[in-house]
């Protein structure tokens, strides 16, 4: 049974390429239709938190003074998510910080750490949504609230519940093709690249490819 790690960062800015650093990370493990594990930590990189970011996240420079070093936190979360494919809401943002902070921590790349994006998936699966922000989708699907938005664990938990909802909806929508097979990370990653009109063909193609791989070890 596949375990997927849903991650979320809080940061000092929008891009590590512009000098921004992570201030907090959370990872929520999803397996078999439920949440099975959680990790959360502030992280001290020595970076300064601008006032507007502090107001948005509630994470202050004072809070980070006694936080564990970013290097140690990234090594710990890399071990926590070892062997797990990854999911994030607006994955391009989190993937950038994930890769940059892991590199700074001298962590070896994990081939399993491939991202799927719940923003891209929501655009395919829920075109009726007013927009595809996490809060909007949480209200649309009446997802459980996990605390203050723009804190890593709260956002990661809501994203995890969104992922579980997506897996159930894909299972129901394509039940005949799936035949009760698991809605895998690989299938979701393929669906996020397909057009809405081609989702059915995408599911069939990915299931066929998966069957061929299992028949040819």
């Amino acid at each position: 049974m596949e375990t997927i790690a849903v991650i979320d960062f809080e940061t000092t800015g929008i891009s590590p390429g512009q000098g921004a650093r992570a201030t907090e990370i959370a990872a929520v493990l999803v397996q078999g239709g439920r949440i099975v594990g959680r990790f959360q930590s502030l992280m001290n990189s020595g970076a300064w938190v601008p006032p507007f970011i502090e107001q948005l996240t509630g994470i202050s420079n004072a809070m980070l003074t006694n936080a564990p070093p970013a290097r140690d936190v990234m090594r710990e979360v890399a071990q926590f998510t070892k062997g797990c494919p990854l999911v994030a809401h607006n994955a391009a943002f989190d993937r950038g910080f994930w890769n940059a902070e892991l590199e700074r921590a001298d962590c070896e790349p994990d081939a399993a750490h491939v991202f799927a994006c719940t923003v891209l998936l929501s655009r395919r699966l829920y075109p009726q949504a007013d927009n595809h922000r996490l809060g909007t989708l949480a209200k649309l699907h009446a997802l459980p609230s996990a605390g203050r938005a723009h804190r890593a664990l709260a956002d990661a938990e809501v994203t995890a519940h969104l992922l579980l909802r997506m897996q159930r909806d894909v299972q129901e929508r394509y039940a005949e093709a799936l035949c009760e097979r698991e809605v895998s990370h690989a299938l979701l990653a393929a669906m996020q690249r397909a057009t809405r009109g081609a989702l059915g063909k995408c599911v069939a193609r990915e299931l066929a490819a998966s069957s061929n791989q299992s028949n040819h070890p």
Side-chain angles (χ1 to χ4, degrees):
M1 189 177 295
E2 182 178 53
T3 303
I4 298 172
V6 180
I7 72 163
D8 186 82
F9 278 102
E10 299 306 327
T11 70
T12 63
I14 62 171
S15 169
Q18 298 176 3
R21 295 295 304 274
T23 57
E24 184 178 41
I25 187 171
V28 175
L29 302 185
V30 170
Q31 182 190 81
R34 61 193 183 94
I35 292 173
V36 297
R38 297 169 176 84
F39 174 95
Q40 177 274 333
S41 182
L42 293 170
M43 46 200 297
N44 185 352
S45 67
W48 176 72
V49 181
F52 77 95
I53 294 291
E54 180 177 340
Q55 185 176 12
L56 177 68
T57 66
I59 298 172
S60 67
N61 289 290
M63 290 168 63
L64 297 180
T65 300
N66 296 319
R71 179 187 184 90
D72 295 347
V73 173
M74 290 308 299
R75 290 184 170 186
E76 190 173 352
V77 75
Q79 185 63 35
F80 182 76
T81 60
K82 185 176 180 179
C84 298
L86 305 178
V87 165
H89 199 71
N90 189 19
F93 172 87
D94 292 281
R95 182 172 55 235
F97 283 95
W98 178 262
N99 291 336
E101 294 293 348
L102 283 177
E103 184 176 0
R104 286 177 178 270
D106 294 322
C107 291
E108 290 293 328
D110 185 334
H113 286 160
V114 176
F115 277 84
C117 179
T118 48
V119 171
L120 296 179
L121 283 164
S122 71
R123 290 172 181 164
R124 275 86 179 151
L125 296 173
Y126 311 122
Q128 76 277 18
D130 291 338
N131 57 61
H132 301 280
R133 299 187 186 99
L134 186 58
T136 301
L137 294 168
K139 289 179 182 178
L140 176 66
H141 298 301
L143 301 177
S145 173
R148 173 177 174 155
H150 301 297
R151 287 302 300 264
L153 184 57
D155 286 353
E157 288 212 26
V158 174
T159 304
H161 284 294
L162 177 59
L163 171 64
L164 292 171
R165 174 59 187 261
M166 288 175 166
Q167 288 179 310
R168 290 195 299 269
D169 287 345
V170 170
Q171 182 70 59
E172 292 177 6
R173 192 177 301 184
Y174 303 102
E176 184 175 350
L178 285 163
C179 298
E180 299 186 358
R181 277 182 283 185
E182 183 179 32
V183 177
S184 67
H185 181 276
L187 176 58
L188 294 174
M191 292 180 74
Q192 74 183 14
R193 298 189 296 269
T195 62
R196 286 199 297 268
L199 288 179
K201 291 181 179 179
C202 175
V203 171
R205 183 172 60 250
E206 289 301 311
L207 291 176
S210 177
S211 296
N212 289 337
Q213 289 177 358
S214 62
N215 293 331
H216 297 84

